[in-house]
């Protein structure tokens, strides 16, 4: 099938802006021409790509499928064009990274602050997802590299480097202060309301397996999507939960949280930086990637 690559560029802009008029303006074209090319592309692909509405356009299922590929290809072409043209350097370009919430708070925020001071011209786009979602984002080519938390499973095509280890603790709010002076057996955790990250997270399955190994059912009373939701729920006495020790310390020092000692060792976790072995990084992306690898040595 011989399709003009310019058609895909126009398709990309219309899908991005969800509006034919805005896409035409961004392309330096006009609405009738863009509409004509979209019809040609749909005809040649023998499928409908857009649904027209009063406020703009939206992608069909086939359109979404095509856009997921075209978006990656278009960004790669722009990166190559910048590098060949000498526009991409340590002092310019855009980096897209995937990151889990825990790795962002325990490592990346501090590292990025220092990187931005050194390389202010590099633009950074952060995509925040769970570990499984972040890995899928990387493998689909939508991020240059990712910083994630264990546990996870990776294909052989992915390069992985440990940044740091960290510990998690069981904690509760002021209503659970009476538990702070004793040791709680894991089998008795069912007597208290347990709050955990949801089933879409790697953390959920880490603790599910941890409980199973000790012959205990893992049945959270509340499941939340993010750590940002988990912490205030625990702090406000909705229940107890496992959270990174470094994030719990300020709240324990202000007596808003209390650590609950366990009769077994909570699994140690780590933050890792991963990248796709088969995909070259732009100069800007490689600069940040190498910076983070060096920065871990300071920790």
């Amino acid at each position: 099938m011989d399709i003009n690559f310019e058609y895909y560029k126009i398709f990309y802009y219309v899908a991005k802006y969800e509006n034919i008029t805005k896409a035409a303006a961004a392309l330096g074209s006009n609405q009738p021409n863009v509409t004509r090319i979209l019809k040609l592309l749909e005809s040649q692909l023998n499928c409908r790509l857009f649904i027209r509405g009063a406020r703009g356009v939206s992608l069909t299922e086939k359109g979404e499928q095509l856009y997921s590929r075209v978006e990656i290809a278009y960004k790669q072409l722009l990166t190559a064009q910048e590098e060949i043209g000498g526009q991409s350097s340590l002092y310019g370009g855009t980096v897209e990274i995937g990151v889990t919430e825990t790795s962002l708070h325990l490592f990346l925020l501090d590292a990025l602050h220092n990187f931005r001071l050194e390389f202010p011209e590099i633009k950074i786009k952060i995509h925040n997802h769970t570990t499984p979602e972040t890995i899928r984002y990387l493998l689909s080519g939508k991020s240059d590299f990712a910083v994630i938390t264990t546990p996870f499973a990776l294909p052989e095509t992915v390069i992985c480097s440990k940044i740091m280890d960290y510990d998690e603790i069981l904690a509760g709010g002021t209503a659970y202060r009476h538990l702070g002076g004793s040791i709680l057996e894991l089998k008795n955790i069912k007597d208290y309301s347990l709050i955990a990250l949801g089933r879409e997270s790697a953390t959920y399955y880490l603790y599910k397996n941890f409980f199973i190994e000790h012959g205990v059912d893992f049945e959270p009373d509340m499941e939340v999507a993010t750590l940002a939701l988990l912490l205030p729920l625990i702090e406000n006495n909705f229940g107890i939960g496992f959270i990174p020790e470094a994030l719990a310390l300020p709240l324990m020092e202000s007596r808003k949280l209390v650590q609950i000692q366990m009769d077994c060792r909570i699994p140690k976790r780590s933050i890792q930086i991963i990248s796709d072995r088969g995909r070259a990084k732009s100069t800007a992306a490689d600069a940040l990637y190498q910076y983070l690898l060096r920065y871990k040595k300071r920790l």
Side-chain angles (χ1 to χ4, degrees):
M1 188 181 296
D2 187 17
I3 297 178
N4 191 326
F5 280 101
E6 189 69 18
Y7 292 4
Y8 289 119
K9 178 181 179 181
I10 291 171
F11 164 80
Y12 169 77
Y13 271 86
V14 174
K16 178 181 178 182
Y17 286 101
E18 297 182 331
N19 185 286
I20 292 176
T21 302
K22 291 180 181 178
L27 290 161
S29 184
N30 55 67
Q31 183 176 342
N33 185 54
V34 170
T35 301
R36 178 181 64 83
I37 289 175
L38 288 180
K39 288 181 178 179
L40 284 172
L41 181 60
E42 289 180 325
S43 175
Q44 292 185 34
L45 291 174
N46 195 29
C47 66
R48 191 176 183 184
L49 299 172
F50 292 98
I51 299 172
R52 278 71 172 178
R55 296 184 178 181
V57 297
S58 59
L59 289 166
T60 63
E61 185 177 346
K62 291 290 185 181
E64 291 278 6
Q65 185 179 348
L66 180 62
Y67 183 72
S68 68
R69 301 291 186 179
V70 170
E71 180 188 26
I72 296 169
Y74 188 70
K75 288 181 178 179
Q76 289 292 313
L77 286 171
L78 287 180
T79 298
Q81 177 179 293
E82 289 175 353
E83 289 181 341
I84 292 171
Q87 298 174 22
S88 180
S89 68
L90 290 180
Y91 305 101
T94 300
V95 186
E96 298 201 30
I97 57 177
V99 59
T100 60
E101 197 173 8
T102 301
S103 63
L104 177 67
H105 289 289
L106 294 187
F107 168 72
L108 202 58
L109 281 177
D110 187 53
L112 286 180
H113 175 75
N114 288 278
F115 180 82
R116 290 284 292 165
L117 291 176
E118 193 168 341
F119 305 108
E121 299 303 317
I122 292 182
K123 298 178 182 178
I124 301 171
K125 293 183 179 180
I126 298 175
H127 304 281
N128 177 216
H129 302 289
T130 63
T131 293
E133 290 173 319
T134 302
I135 293 172
R136 286 195 293 270
Y137 216 80
L138 173 72
L139 295 177
S140 68
K142 293 182 178 180
S143 60
D144 294 298
F145 59 87
V147 185
I148 61 176
T149 48
T150 58
F152 51 76
L154 295 174
E156 294 182 358
T157 56
V158 173
I159 302 171
C160 182
S161 178
K162 183 193 289 188
I163 295 293
M164 59 178 285
D165 290 316
Y166 69 95
D167 293 307
E168 294 199 323
I169 63 169
L170 180 63
T174 54
Y176 298 91
R177 193 167 299 283
H178 64 285
L179 296 177
S182 58
I183 296 177
L184 180 66
E185 293 185 38
L186 189 63
K187 67 180 181 179
N188 293 328
I189 206 167
K190 65 181 183 298
D191 297 334
Y192 305 94
S193 179
L194 179 63
I195 309 174
L197 291 178
R199 298 165 191 265
E200 70 283 355
S201 69
T203 300
Y204 178 91
Y205 291 98
L206 169 75
Y207 283 105
K208 182 179 179 66
N209 292 331
F210 172 60
F211 275 55
I212 290 173
E213 288 170 3
H214 289 81
V216 181
D217 290 332
F218 182 62
E219 297 179 351
D221 297 278
M222 297 180 69
E223 293 181 26
V224 297
T226 68
L227 189 63
L229 293 173
L230 181 66
L231 282 170
L233 286 173
I234 294 174
E235 182 182 344
N236 286 279
N237 297 307
F238 283 87
I240 59 177
F242 296 95
I243 54 179
E245 184 178 23
L247 298 182
L249 281 175
L251 294 171
M252 289 193 294
E253 289 173 355
S254 61
R255 300 181 64 80
K256 294 179 180 178
L257 286 185
V258 59
Q259 181 175 356
I260 303 169
Q261 299 291 340
M262 301 290 297
D263 69 333
C264 52
R265 186 181 295 275
I266 297 172
K268 185 175 285 289
R269 307 185 67 179
S270 67
I271 295 173
Q272 313 243 354
I273 184 168
I274 63 172
S275 64
D276 193 333
R277 192 188 306 272
R279 186 154 46 90
K281 301 179 188 66
S282 67
T283 308
D286 191 58
L288 177 55
Y289 179 79
Q290 297 298 333
Y291 184 91
L292 294 180
L293 289 177
R294 293 193 301 272
Y295 195 85
K296 73 174 185 177
K297 296 178 182 179
R298 307 180 193 176
L299 300 175

